[in-house]
Amino acid sequence: SMQLALVTAVLAISGPMPGMAQSSQPTSDTYTWNGEMVSLDPTAKTMTVKSRVAYQEAISQLKHFKAGDRVWIVWSGIHDSSDAVRQVRRFETGRKIDEDLVLPAELVSTEAPNQYLTIRIKVPQSGLDAIKAVKPGQWVTVTSRHKPLTDDDAVVAVRPYGASGTTE
């Protein structure tokens, strides 16, 4: 199953790039977003990351939460990529995520300095390996699954920002 995970990660990375003809029909079950890496916890298999918030309402929603709360991050963007957070929702026990562009995460801080939100997410081992050379303050690109069944299932791959699966 380790090999399978690796193949899946490679497929996710080398999938069609935005702008290619294929991206006109939304067939992909994943999307990408970028964030600034804060820290990695290889033991817990988590990454703390800061991502841009697009909407003021998302920042005002933060006062309804406390650090450590489980949340659903709703991304703004098109089907296969997002550039910023649109909304922060309360995690609902027993309810499945049935929309695209929604990521289960842990809220690290209720502050959003310069419109950046700090969250902690589960990362697969292949993702941790791929970014072990990334320093705090550097950026990463995260590939997430639409409608994930669990927190562990939500992130498919992580890579250093700007790195791609192709030989550009």
Side-chain angles (χ1 to χ4, degrees):
S1 87
M2 192 62 199
Q3 276 175 314
L4 182 67
L6 197 63
V7 170
T8 312
V10 170
L11 285 175
I13 291 169
S14 60
M17 287 294 159
M20 284 173 70
Q22 286 160 290
S23 63
S24 57
Q25 66 267 66
T27 48
S28 164
D29 64 346
T30 63
Y31 61 99
T32 59
W33 53 277
N34 300 313
E36 182 189 320
M37 211 257 289
V38 177
S39 62
L40 284 177
D41 182 339
T43 313
K45 288 196 169 51
T46 60
M47 172 177 69
T48 302
V49 62
K50 285 189 217 173
S51 220
R52 199 171 71 82
V53 180
Y55 296 86
Q56 201 54 49
E57 67 162 327
I59 301 212
S60 57
Q61 285 161 350
L62 289 175
K63 58 177 171 288
H64 303 298
F65 297 99
K66 60 186 189 306
D69 277 356
R70 290 185 68 192
V71 293
W72 285 352
I73 300 295
V74 184
W75 297 96
S76 94
I78 51 173
H79 183 81
D80 57 4
S81 72
S82 167
D83 59 354
V85 174
R86 183 164 68 95
Q87 205 180 35
V88 180
R89 290 190 199 156
R90 198 165 292 288
F91 165 82
E92 295 180 51
T93 312
R95 193 180 145 211
K96 285 222 291 277
I97 292 177
D98 54 7
E99 296 164 77
D100 288 351
L101 297 169
V102 179
L103 173 77
E106 179 191 330
L107 195 60
V108 173
S109 167
T110 55
E111 300 296 308
N114 304 323
Q115 308 249 123
Y116 278 84
L117 179 65
T118 308
I119 56 174
R120 187 173 292 124
I121 56 172
K122 286 277 200 188
V123 174
Q125 186 61 51
S126 59
L128 292 171
D129 294 344
I131 58 169
K132 58 174 181 278
V134 175
K135 310 266 187 298
Q138 293 179 326
W139 284 65
V140 293
T141 297
V142 181
T143 303
S144 294
R145 196 183 305 281
H146 289 302
K147 307 180 179 68
L149 296 171
T150 64
D151 289 20
D152 291 351
D153 184 46
V155 172
V156 181
V158 186
R159 63 181 188 264
Y161 179 73
S164 73
T166 59
T167 50
E168 284 174 88

